[in-house]
Amino acid sequence: QVQLVESGGGLVQAGGSLRLSCAASGRIVSINYMAWYRQAPGKQRELVARISSDGSTNYADSVKGRFTISRDNGKLTVYLQMNSLKPEDTAVYYCYADVYVSVRTMYWGQGTPVTVSS
């Protein structure tokens, strides 16, 4: 099985920064892509940022220019650097991995809460 362990969430004032980490472990043959999603109270889960195996990235319009997704292939870890945080960024942030184990499989992390105070 594959596990995704997130860390780095917390409480921060508006304008501040946080860095989320997601470490993947298990019998991973290769990673297709990894991503960060978020879900605010009463809202649907939404894609925040995604990084593919070739290093290409995609961002939600609401975070472009403020968030940066990156990865360390050797450590099977993906990061989300969040700058200029706004109260509307408050949500539980989930790591997502599309990987090849024996077959192509998708996994979710347990989520890490981010609260941005005004």
Side-chain angles (χ1 to χ4, degrees), residues 1-4 24-31 76 97 99-101 107:
Q1 286 292 340
V2 172
Q3 286 190 321
L4 302 177
S25 63
R27 298 184 176 222
I28 298 172
V29 175
S30 63
I31 296 176
L76 298 179
V99 304
Y100 284 97
V101 185
Y107 294 91

Side-chain angles (χ1 to χ4, degrees), residues 43-62:
K43 295 188 176 181
Q44 289 189 331
R45 192 170 296 189
E46 62 175 359
L47 176 66
V48 176
R50 159 180 159 155
I51 184 164
S52 298
S53 57
D54 63 359
S56 59
T57 57
N58 300 95
Y59 295 93
D61 287 342
S62 59

Side-chain angles (χ1 to χ4, degrees), residues 4-5 16 21 24 26 36 39 43-44 46 53-54 58 66 76-77 82 84 86-87 91 93 96 100 105 112:
L4 302 177
V5 179
S21 299
W36 288 96
Q39 187 167 19
K43 295 188 176 181
Q44 289 189 331
E46 62 175 359
S53 57
D54 63 359
N58 300 95
R66 300 188 297 122
L76 298 179
T77 300
M82 306 186 293
S84 302
K86 304 175 181 180
Y93 284 70
Y96 176 87
Y100 284 97
T105 314
T112 184

Side-chain angles (χ1 to χ4, degrees), residues 71-92:
R71 64 182 187 181
D72 183 330
N73 288 337
K75 295 181 180 179
L76 298 179
T77 300
V78 64
Y79 305 96
L80 186 68
Q81 178 66 43
M82 306 186 293
N83 299 327
S84 302
L85 282 160
K86 304 175 181 180
E88 51 263 44
D89 295 317
T90 295
V92 177

